[in-house]
Each structure stands twice: as structure tokens, then as C-alpha cells.
């Protein structure tokens, strides 16, 4: 089975010392890197997605900063496409759909990994499914932040779990990196 690996926003600002660190980005990036290495080895397509927040008041992902750069664990190799986006949904205002459709005759679906589970991963998975793609999410190659709601902090693990459960209910097959690699 051939699937395009879509790596969403694994960028320096989400790691310790960055402008918007998540909980557990290192473990997620390591698993994403394992999938990236497997896709490269098997000659399967890869698309990197990079969020650039091009506004004077950008809190993170500001152009020209170290934080906006794709993390070295999953840095694009020569010839691997990078889709630059300005919205949570990686399809909105980008050529991601065109890139995926070009390869679609030879591709069975997409595998999505990245950051943040509760924002860009969620929005992109739903858009991909709505566009007719068969979607798989490697849940342990994604990371989330702690969030606040109703005066309480919702821990990142609960945020991540809730979003993975919702995506797995209707939009995607949600599996571990090990499960994906075993199915090579």
C-alpha cells in the first residue's frame, strides 16, 4: 500500500525554548521521523507542511525566526515539497490538494502526523476526509498543548486523547507508529 506522509507543523517554536512549546513534542517528532525514514526508504511520497504566521503581532511562527523552521528531526530532504500555510487547515489557501491529487493514481491515501492535535492536525484530517482521501493518523506522532476551558486546565494528554478519539470515530483510522511500520 502506498500512502503520502503529510507532516504538519513540526516546527521549532513547539519545542522547549520555543515561543509556544507543547507537551511531549520530542516523542511525537521522533515517531514522525521514524515514519519519514520508512517512507523515504520505500520511495513513498512525503509532503511537509510549514505554518508561517506573517503578521506584525505573530506570537509564534514569525517569518525569519528560528521558531518557524521545520524541526531537524523531520527536516525536508532535497526535492521533498514544503507546503507553506497560514491557516490551521493545511488545504486552505495552499496547493496541498493539487500535490496529493497529482500522485493520487499511485497513492492509496494519506498518513497524517504533526502538531497540534487539537488544531492543525484536526482541521487537516477533517478536510482530507471531506475531500475523499483515505486518512490514517499516527496518534503517537502528534502532540498537543494544555488548554483551558471553563476556568480549568485540560491536560495535553486529555486534549490529545479527545481529538484522536473524535477523529477515529468518523474521519480517520487512528493507529500507532509501530502499527503503521508493521504494516509496511
Amino acid at each position: 500500500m502506498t500512502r503520502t506522509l503529510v507532516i504538519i507543523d513540526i516546527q521549532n517554536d513547539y519545542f522547549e525554548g520555543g515561543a509556544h512549546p507543547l507537551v511531549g513534542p520530542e516523542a511525537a517528532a521522533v515517531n514522525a521521523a521514524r515514519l519519514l525514514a520508512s517512507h523515504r526508504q520505500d520511495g513513498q511520497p512525503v509532503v511537509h507542511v510549514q505554518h508561517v504566521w506573517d503578521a506584525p503581532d505573530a506570537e509564534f511562527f514569525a517569518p525569519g525566526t528560528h521558531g518557524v523552521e521545520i524541526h531537524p528531526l523531520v527536516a525536508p530532504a532535497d526535492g521533498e515539497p514544503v507546503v507553506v500555510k497560514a491557516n490551521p487547515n493545511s488545504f486552505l489557501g495552499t496547493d496541498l490538494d493539487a500535490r496529493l491529487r497529482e500522485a493520487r493514481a499511485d497513492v492509496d491515501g494519506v498518513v497524517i502526523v504533526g502538531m497540534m492535535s487539537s488544531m492543525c492536525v484536526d482541521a487537516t484530517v477533517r478536510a482530507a476526509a471531506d475531500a475523499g482521501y483515505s486518512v490514517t493518523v499516527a496518534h503517537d506522532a502528534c502532540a498537543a498543548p494544555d488548554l483551558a476551558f471553563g476556568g480549568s486546565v485540560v491536560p495535553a494528554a486529555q486534549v490529545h486523547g479527545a481529538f484522536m478519539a473524535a477523529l477515529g470515530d468518523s474521519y480517520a483510522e487512528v493507529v500507532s507508529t509501530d502499527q503503521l511500520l508493521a504494516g509496511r
Side-chain angles (χ1 to χ4, degrees):
M1 180 184 293
T2 302
R3 295 179 279 196
T4 300
L5 177 64
V6 180
I7 304 172
I8 302 171
D9 303 347
I10 300 183
Q11 295 169 240
N12 292 328
D13 268 342
Y14 282 148
F15 291 79
E16 187 176 331
H20 191 69
L22 304 182
V23 175
E26 298 83 5
V30 165
N31 283 324
R34 292 174 57 211
L35 290 168
L36 177 58
S38 175
H39 269 70
R40 286 174 174 163
Q41 178 183 331
D42 294 346
Q44 294 190 66
V46 173
V47 177
H48 300 265
V49 179
Q50 180 183 32
H51 197 119
V52 177
W53 192 348
D54 194 9
D57 60 345
E59 297 173 24
F60 53 97
F61 295 159
T65 65
H66 174 72
V68 76
E69 298 302 320
I70 293 174
H71 194 275
L73 282 172
V74 293
D78 288 340
E80 289 177 349
V82 177
V83 172
V84 176
K85 68 179 179 71
N87 299 289
N89 174 352
S90 300
F91 289 91
L92 184 61
T94 72
D95 66 348
L96 179 58
D97 188 54
R99 288 179 184 274
L100 294 174
R101 292 199 188 280
E102 282 175 13
R104 194 166 198 181
D106 300 323
V107 175
D108 299 313
V110 294
V111 174
I112 294 180
V113 301
M115 301 174 183
M116 297 189 296
S117 308
S118 56
M119 185 64 70
C120 299
V121 170
D122 178 66
T124 301
V125 167
R126 291 171 187 263
D130 288 346
Y133 293 98
S134 171
V135 182
T136 302
V137 177
H139 64 80
D140 56 356
C142 299
D146 292 332
L147 293 177
F149 179 75
S152 297
V153 172
V154 181
Q158 291 178 5
V159 171
H160 178 74
F163 276 85
M164 292 299 113
L167 292 175
D169 188 45
S170 298
Y171 286 95
E173 179 183 18
V174 179
V175 298
S176 71
T177 297
D178 286 342
Q179 288 173 300
L180 277 171
L181 292 174
R184 294 172 57 184

